[in-house]
Amino acid sequence: MELIEQMREYALAHGIPIMQDEGITFMLEFIKDTECKNILEIGTAIGYSAILMCGCHEDIHVTTIERDEERYQEAVRNVKAAGLEDRITLIFADALECEITGSYDFIFIDAAKAQYRKFFEKYSPLLIQNGYIFTDNLAFHGLVENPELAQSRGVRALVRKIKAYNDWLSENEEYRTQFLDLGDGVAISQRNRLDVKGMIFDMDGLLLDTETIAGKGMEHASKALNVPLPENFHEMILGKAVPLIKEIYETHTDGRVSYEEFKDCAQAYEKIYQEENGVNTMKGVVELLEHCKQRDIKVIVATSSYLEKAVVRMKLAGIYKYFDTVISGDMVQRSKPNPDIFLKAQETLGLAKNDCIIFEDSNAGVEAGVRAGMRVCMVPGMVGPEKLAQERAFQIFDSLQDAVEFFQ
């Protein structure tokens, strides 16, 4: 613990705030008791709390963000001295500007107090279902309860913002928050449990690694039929139903080869390829479907592909047995980003919109889900999340494996 004492002395000498003993002792015990292992910290300072949190369990990993370069560099030295470079990921950035993906079971907010609510709103989507958000300094030396004792206008303004944050936490219906008079005042927030009764899945690129097969089919047809296509043609048609794909094809070709002929050639090659090589599931698919099975959560596929093609691929991948119904693109009049296919899937499940979660890998699919009035989780495929997906997706996961952890 010699390093920790040196860090405490350094913080005191340089006017760097670190958690009070009572508060950090409680937080560390809480992390141990709840077995949190993947932690996001907003406000590294010199790495004091990150290093202590790693001491709770040997398999804990901390991702921590710091915008002050001098403090960041000191944290880098301290993490190296502690031998924790492989367990602490240090990010030099403004936490309100950087983008982080993944899922966390514990988020620790201890940065600029005036921005607490913004930090909470920005990073809470990364919290797993049963995770915790821990906020420090909510008493602010007793001034929140006794604002008349604040000595300057700037401090009074900061106290008002902390008080507003506390009130917001208390009134937030999505989270339940416990305030504790420990250290300089802490709060523990946990999301109220989602009552998910049905999950609606896109197929290509989300459940199955079929985008690779489709790309090979289109490349073969383009060469075999001498039909030049734009380099981003595959991206242009991702997540869209057949009528719209046909329209896009006809817009970008000379009409010499019909869409039907091109499609038949590509699909003939795809069929041979997948029969010879099989169809792979994406990461976490089977685990999530097993999770749904164990918890009696209804599952349905809503895919832009033709029904026969979808069923064949799902059978080849070994996941057709999990689904009672498949809603295909030829069953609805309008394709994504229109909401028709998801509304039909929800109606087929016989569930209310609030009871359903949609999983999508394309931006058009996310837009369709949002327009259908349901929560949409995105697992970005070949094209990353665009503005609407970033702003409106309920969660953005790196893979469906992260979704398993989130919904447990």
Side-chain angles (χ1 to χ4, degrees), residues 5-296:
E5 290 303 318
Q6 291 174 356
M7 293 174 69
R8 288 167 61 92
E9 292 174 4
Y10 180 93
L12 181 63
H14 291 79
I16 297 172
I18 57 175
M19 283 189 75
Q20 294 182 14
D21 290 346
E22 187 180 26
I24 198 163
T25 298
F26 172 80
M27 184 177 76
L28 298 177
E29 288 300 319
F30 183 87
I31 290 172
K32 291 178 185 177
D33 292 343
T34 54
E35 298 183 348
C36 294
K37 296 178 180 178
N38 200 18
I39 297 173
L40 174 63
E41 179 184 42
I42 313 300
T44 312
I46 60 173
Y48 177 76
S49 50
I51 291 172
L52 285 174
M53 286 189 287
C54 278
C56 294
H57 300 291
E58 62 181 12
D59 50 357
I60 279 180
H61 185 275
V62 178
T63 299
T64 180
I65 309 170
E66 177 56 52
R67 70 175 183 177
D68 183 279
E69 186 172 5
E70 185 176 346
R71 293 182 181 182
Y72 168 80
Q73 294 298 342
E74 183 65 21
V76 170
R77 289 188 286 270
N78 289 329
V79 169
K80 183 176 181 180
L84 294 171
E85 300 103 309
D86 60 334
R87 294 178 55 201
I88 298 178
T89 300
L90 293 156
I91 299 175
F92 175 50
D94 186 322
L96 292 177
E97 296 177 359
C98 71
E99 295 299 329
I100 295 177
T101 58
S103 298
Y104 298 89
D105 44 23
F106 190 88
I107 298 177
F108 176 35
I109 301 177
D110 191 23
K113 299 166 187 60
Q115 306 299 330
Y116 272 3
R117 178 171 174 176
K118 290 183 179 179
F119 292 141
F120 193 109
E121 291 177 329
K122 180 176 175 65
Y123 290 103
S124 57
L126 303 182
L127 191 70
I128 66 171
Q129 176 57 39
N130 294 323
Y132 304 91
I133 299 180
F134 195 99
T135 313
D136 189 30
N137 299 124
L138 296 183
F140 198 52
H141 316 300
L143 295 178
V144 174
E145 285 296 321
N146 301 284
E148 70 278 1
L149 299 179
Q151 298 297 309
S152 69
R153 179 182 300 175
V155 172
R156 287 193 292 273
L158 179 56
V159 167
R160 285 195 296 272
K161 288 186 177 181
I162 297 174
K163 176 65 164 58
Y165 175 72
N166 292 347
D167 293 342
W168 177 75
L169 283 181
S170 299
E171 298 166 3
N172 193 320
E173 296 181 356
E174 187 178 352
Y175 289 83
R176 55 186 182 276
T177 298
Q178 183 179 11
F179 295 89
L180 300 172
D181 186 18
L182 296 169
D184 196 26
V186 301
I188 304 170
S189 304
Q190 187 176 30
R191 182 185 283 113
N192 291 318
R193 176 167 289 279
L194 289 172
D195 187 19
V196 179
K197 297 178 181 177
M199 292 188 176
I200 303 171
F201 294 90
D202 177 45
M203 185 186 74
D204 294 307
L206 178 82
L207 295 176
L208 305 180
D209 184 16
T210 51
E211 300 299 355
T212 300
I213 300 175
K216 291 181 181 295
M218 285 185 285
E219 183 179 352
H220 169 80
S222 177
K223 291 179 180 178
L225 300 174
N226 191 25
V227 178
L229 292 172
E231 289 186 6
N232 65 336
F233 180 76
H234 194 181
E235 296 178 6
M236 293 166 64
I237 65 173
L238 281 176
K240 297 178 175 64
V242 173
L244 185 53
I245 294 175
K246 180 180 179 180
E247 181 180 327
I248 295 171
Y249 170 85
E250 292 174 347
T251 300
H252 292 86
T253 57
D254 58 14
R256 182 176 52 81
V257 177
S258 70
Y259 170 73
E260 286 72 19
E261 184 180 353
F262 179 88
K263 174 176 66 67
D264 290 344
C265 181
Q267 289 186 350
Y269 182 86
E270 291 174 28
K271 183 177 180 181
I272 295 171
Y273 181 90
Q274 66 190 22
E275 287 176 351
E276 293 178 351
N277 299 278
V279 178
N280 296 322
T281 57
M282 302 296 280
K283 182 180 178 182
V285 168
V286 173
E287 291 84 351
L288 182 55
L289 293 175
E290 282 291 336
H291 168 87
C292 293
K293 182 179 179 181
Q294 292 167 10
R295 289 160 177 78
D296 293 324

